[in-house]
Amino acid sequence: MTKPKQSWRGVVSGYPKWSGGSLVLIFLAAVVPTYSATPTKPLRSPWDGKSVTMTGATYSCPAIVHIAPDLVTDGFYRLDDPTHSIIDPVRQEAYRKSSDGVKSVGLEIVKAADTYRSTGSKQAAQWAMNQILTLAQEHALAGKMSSSQAYYVQGWVAGAVAIAYLKVRETGLATPQQSELIAAWLQSIGKQTVAYYEEHKKARNNHLYWAGVELAAIGVAADDPKDFAWAIGTYNTGVDQIQPDGTLPLEMARGSRALHYHLYALAPLVLLAEFGEANHMDLYARANGAIHRLVNTSVAGLQDPTPFAKATNVQQEVPKTTSGDQIGWAPPYVKRFPNPTLEQKIQAAPSLSVFYLGGLPPN
C-alpha cells in the first residue's frame, strides 16, 4: 500500500473541509496533518470488500424495539470526586435504569451483525437491517439529550449501530432509498455530536476519540468526507497528547482507573487508525508512531500496573481476566505489528467483542 505523504500547516478551529485533492483537517488541535493523497472514493470501512457467503443458518430474531428520539440520563461517578473514578451506587443504578434499554437495542444489532459475519446467516443480517431501519424511521436518539452523559450514550450507541450497519450493508438487503434513510438518520446524530464537542472544546480525552469512531463510521456509511475528516481530527488530537513514556495525561488523572482509561482511550484510536488504513491513510505513523508507545505502556500495565500506581499514588483496578474490554482493539493491530505478549492475551481472552467498537474487530 502506498502511504500518503504529510505536510504540516497551522490551522484554526472549525469544521473540516475539502480542497481539491487534499484533505484539510480543521480541528481542536493547533496543528494537524494534511494528506496529499485523497482517501478512497467512496469511503471504505475495514469490513468492506471482505466477502461473506450468505447462508440459511437460523437466527433467533428478537422483537423489533422502538427507541424515543430524546434521552434523559446522567453520569454515575461521585460528584465530589475530581478524578471521576469513584462510582456512586445510587447514581449508577439510576444511570442503568435510564440507559440500559437504549444500549440493549444496540447490543442486539451488533450481535446480529457479527453473527452474519461469522456464519453468513441471512436471518441475522435481515433482522439487524430491519431494526436499524426502524430506528432510522423513528429518528431514535436524534432528539434532545439531557446531559453530557446522554450525549456520550447517544454517541456510543450510534457509533456501534453505524459499524454494525457497515458490517451488513454489502448484503443488498436494504434498498438504495433505505440506505439513504439510514445514512441521513446517522448523520443527524453525528451533527449533534460535532456540535457538542465544538461547544466543549476542552474535551480532549477518551470521549472525543469515541466520538471520532462514531463519525468515522457515519462518514463511511453516508460517504461524507466532512464527517470522516472530523473523525480523523479526533485521532490526531489524541495521538498528539501521547507522552514519551506512552501515557496520556488526561487519562492518568483518573486515579485508580488510570490504567483502565488508558486502555479505554486506546481502543477507539486503534479502530480510527484501521479506518484510515481502509482509506489509504497511514494514521499509525502519526507523531512518529506515538500510538505504539501507548500500546506498549497500556499492555505492560496489564502485566504490571506499578508504574500507573506510582504515577497516581493509588492502587490500580486490574481485571482478573483480560478480555475484549481491555484488548478488543488488538487483533487488527497485531496483524500489522506483531507483538507476542499481546498475541498471547488475544488467544487467552474469553471474548474480543466490544459493544462500543461495534462488536468483533475487523479481521
Side-chain angles (χ1 to χ4, degrees):
M1 178 183 297
T2 302
K3 305 298 184 185
K5 297 179 180 179
Q6 299 180 4
S7 59
W8 297 88
R9 65 182 68 178
V11 298
V12 296
S13 177
Y15 205 67
K17 55 187 176 182
W18 289 83
S19 177
S22 298
L23 172 62
V24 182
L25 299 177
I26 304 176
F27 194 61
L28 304 179
V31 179
V32 294
T34 302
Y35 294 88
S36 57
T38 303
T40 305
K41 293 184 179 181
L43 290 166
R44 294 173 58 84
S45 84
W47 294 272
D48 285 345
K50 299 177 181 179
S51 61
V52 175
T53 301
M54 194 88 75
T55 73
T58 59
Y59 185 74
S60 180
C61 301
I64 293 295
V65 177
H66 305 274
I67 297 296
D70 300 344
L71 178 61
V72 178
T73 191
D74 209 345
F76 50 86
Y77 288 122
R78 279 174 44 172
L79 295 174
D80 61 351
D81 173 31
T83 69
H84 302 288
S85 63
I86 303 174
I87 292 174
D88 180 325
V90 175
R91 299 189 79 219
Q92 184 181 45
E93 182 61 22
Y95 171 64
R96 285 175 174 167
K97 287 182 178 179
S98 57
S99 66
D100 278 3
V102 171
K103 290 182 180 180
S104 65
V105 177
L107 279 165
E108 288 292 349
I109 293 171
V110 165
K111 176 184 174 183
D114 278 338
T115 298
Y116 162 70
R117 300 296 300 187
S118 61
T119 70
S121 171
K122 181 178 180 180
Q123 284 187 2
Q126 186 68 72
W127 182 87
M129 192 68 78
N130 289 346
Q131 179 64 79
I132 294 171
L133 274 168
T134 298
L135 297 180
Q137 290 165 347
E138 298 176 355
H139 308 288
L141 291 177
K144 183 178 180 180
M145 300 295 108
S146 68
S147 65
S148 290
Q149 190 69 29
Y151 279 105
Y152 302 154
V153 173
Q154 177 197 46
W156 293 330
V157 174
V161 170
I163 290 172
Y165 170 67
L166 295 175
K167 290 181 176 181
V168 301
R169 68 170 180 169
E170 292 185 332
T171 60
L173 294 174
T175 67
Q177 293 77 17
Q178 289 171 332
S179 295
E180 289 177 5
L181 175 64
I182 291 170
W185 166 65
L186 289 171
Q187 284 197 294
S188 70
I189 296 176
K191 287 180 180 178
Q192 286 196 33
T193 297
V194 171
Y196 175 84
Y197 285 97
E198 286 294 315
E199 183 178 346
H200 299 79
K201 291 184 181 293
K202 292 183 179 180
R204 297 163 63 90
N205 67 349
N206 65 80
H207 288 299
L208 180 64
Y209 324 147
W210 284 105
V213 167
E214 174 198 353
L215 266 293
I218 290 173
V220 175
D223 195 26
D224 189 319
K226 189 166 66 170
D227 285 343
F228 193 77
W230 192 91
I232 302 307
T234 70
Y235 176 88
N236 296 338
T237 297
V239 168
D240 287 353
Q241 295 179 73
I242 298 172
Q243 302 299 296
D245 64 357
T247 61
L248 287 165
L250 295 176
E251 311 308 336
M252 192 60 83
R254 300 302 294 270
S256 63
R257 308 202 80 191
L259 172 59
H260 163 83
Y261 275 108
H262 271 75
L263 290 159
Y264 187 66
L266 176 58
L269 291 174
V270 170
L271 187 55
L272 282 167
E274 288 298 316
F275 268 97
E277 290 287 340
N279 291 280
H280 300 170
M281 301 172 72
D282 184 10
L283 301 186
Y284 284 114
R286 170 79 183 188
N288 296 317
I291 193 170
H292 303 302
R293 298 199 302 274
L294 178 59
V295 168
N296 293 336
T297 295
S298 300
V299 174
L302 286 172
Q303 299 285 100
D304 177 14
T306 301
F308 285 87
K310 287 183 177 179
T312 60
N313 294 315
V314 62
Q315 185 175 351
Q316 293 296 294
E317 297 179 13
V318 182
K320 293 181 180 179
T321 302
T322 301
S323 190
D325 285 344
Q326 294 80 41
I327 59 167
W329 50 268
Y333 179 86
V334 297
K335 281 191 175 183
R336 300 183 191 281
F337 311 102
N339 182 316
T341 299
L342 196 48
E343 289 168 9
Q344 289 178 1
K345 290 186 177 299
I346 291 171
Q347 292 299 321
S351 172
L352 292 170
S353 181
V354 184
F355 173 35
Y356 299 163
L357 292 179
L360 293 171
N363 51 29

